[in-house]
Amino acid sequence: MPKVNSNLLKLKKEYFFNEIEKKVLLKKQKTRNILNLGIGDITEPLAPIIIEKMKMAADEMKEKKTLKGYGPSSGYSFLKQKILDNDYKNLDIEIDEIFISSGMKYSLANICDLFSKKSKVGIMDPTYPLYADANIINGRKKNIFYLPLLEENNFEPLLFNKKLDLIYLCSPNNPTGISFSKQALKNWIDYAKKYRALIIFDGAYEAFITSKNTVKSIYEINGAKDVAIEMRSFSKKAGFTSLRCSYVIIPKNIKTLDNVSINKLWNRYIDTKFGGISYPIQKAAEAIYSDKGKSQINEIISTYMKNTKTLLLGLKNLGYTVYGGIDSPYVWCKCPKNLSSMEFFDQLLEKNIVAIPGIGFGKLGEGFIRFSGFANLETINQALANL
Ligand code: PLP
């Protein structure tokens, strides 16, 4: 038998969300009336055009003439071209700077394989737990430095005062639901230039942005193409959480400190470790860029954002201190009466409401809880009534 990869033992014993799930399951044995406002997953059916195009693509597999075997590891150009023409119009991105992948989880977790184990990594606190876990598995537990997101700083990451090599920024951030100002992002780009650091920009919630003082793509900010990789997902934007499709942008000019092209490295990496995603899924993703697709997914996004608005205003009216909910479907709520996030979670569960304790997203998530607008309006209204 081989020995275990000891880095895996450095992860928290049980994945946090499993712990929450267990408590919810226990509650479900007592009541059928659980009001789930904790979900980070879609609740609305997919846009009809996605299903239609996926079926059509599956039908192509019936004929020798249209059959598809292995596809390109980095994705089909029909999808890349649509991404370029729609998401990166006028942003000077080239087609071979786009890599289609399964969910963003895959790319976020694996991209750190490209870099030296000694790289110093900056990760916001609180944020999506995957960035830290992936780097711990990669042997960088001691090289992780947390960038505090504080209430008094509108939950924007303050600049670090020493050199980092790799920085994960997520805007709009999960769980705070807040997107960073153009100035805050510009400061980080300047920092990355000064210290020759690489930014990995997670734009999973880009489709929900409505504020004017922010950007959807980091490449809208001057200088980003020299220092930033951007990742986006079709999961929340178009309901692909089960279908799995996302993409990574890696500008060709970005090199590691020892002068290796990151674009070429990633190409080599996915050729070995990843065989691309299925043709029907890529056809389904392409469909969201048609006029019909755009209008259908916009309608679904509006539904989530209307729900989120009801949640945000409802909580505010009940006297809670709340943040986010404008550029993402998440509302970041301060726990009342100095309760810990787990204590507040338990109190809510007594009222049949599920939300996610902030501590699950980092130490500085303590004292907050995340409510999600990925829910039905009736569920939200009932939860507000119970509160
Ligand atoms: N990034 C953030 C910030 C997320 O919240 C999530 C999922 O919740 C992901 C990435 C993962 O996205 P995907 O479904 O594409 O793996």
Side-chain angles (χ1 to χ4, degrees), residues 170-179 204-211 236 301 304-309 311-312 323-332 370-374:
C170 177
S171 173
N173 185 31
N174 176 11
T176 57
I178 289 177
S179 57
Y205 297 94
E206 136 292 313
F208 297 87
I209 292 178
T210 55
S211 316
K236 311 292 160 75
I301 290 171
Y304 288 133
M305 289 316 284
K306 268 185 217 147
N307 294 350
T308 309
K309 197 171 174 187
L311 183 58
L312 186 70
Y323 299 93
I326 306 286
D327 288 333
S328 86
Y330 297 134
V331 175
W332 192 230
R370 190 196 75 181
F371 286 97
S372 163
F374 288 118

Side-chain angles (χ1 to χ4, degrees), residues 107-115 117 134-135 138 140 166 168:
S107 318
L108 282 169
N110 287 300
I111 196 102
C112 54
D113 264 358
L114 306 190
F115 310 113
K117 297 280 172 272
N135 277 284
N138 236 277
R140 291 195 194 92
L166 194 58
Y168 289 81

Side-chain angles (χ1 to χ4, degrees), residues 40 102-106 108 128 131 170 172-174 202 204-205 232-236 240-241 244-246 330 370:
S102 61
M104 245 170 93
K105 260 191 174 194
Y106 173 87
L108 282 169
Y128 187 47
Y131 317 128
C170 177
N173 185 31
N174 176 11
D202 179 333
Y205 297 94
R232 283 190 185 176
S233 173
F234 294 97
S235 282
K236 311 292 160 75
F240 276 58
T241 51
R244 313 304 290 145
C245 190
S246 66
Y330 297 134
R370 190 196 75 181

Side-chain angles (χ1 to χ4, degrees), residues 74-120:
S74 71
Y76 285 102
S77 43
F78 63 77
L79 178 55
K80 292 185 187 179
Q81 194 60 50
K82 287 279 161 38
I83 291 171
L84 267 191
D85 297 344
N86 290 276
D87 298 346
Y88 292 95
K89 209 170 163 188
N90 305 326
L91 288 181
D92 198 23
I93 300 294
E94 293 174 34
I95 197 149
D96 50 358
E97 295 179 321
I98 304 181
F99 298 84
I100 312 294
S101 58
S102 61
M104 245 170 93
K105 260 191 174 194
Y106 173 87
S107 318
L108 282 169
N110 287 300
I111 196 102
C112 54
D113 264 358
L114 306 190
F115 310 113
S116 145
K117 297 280 172 272
K118 290 183 185 147
S119 309
K120 293 191 164 51

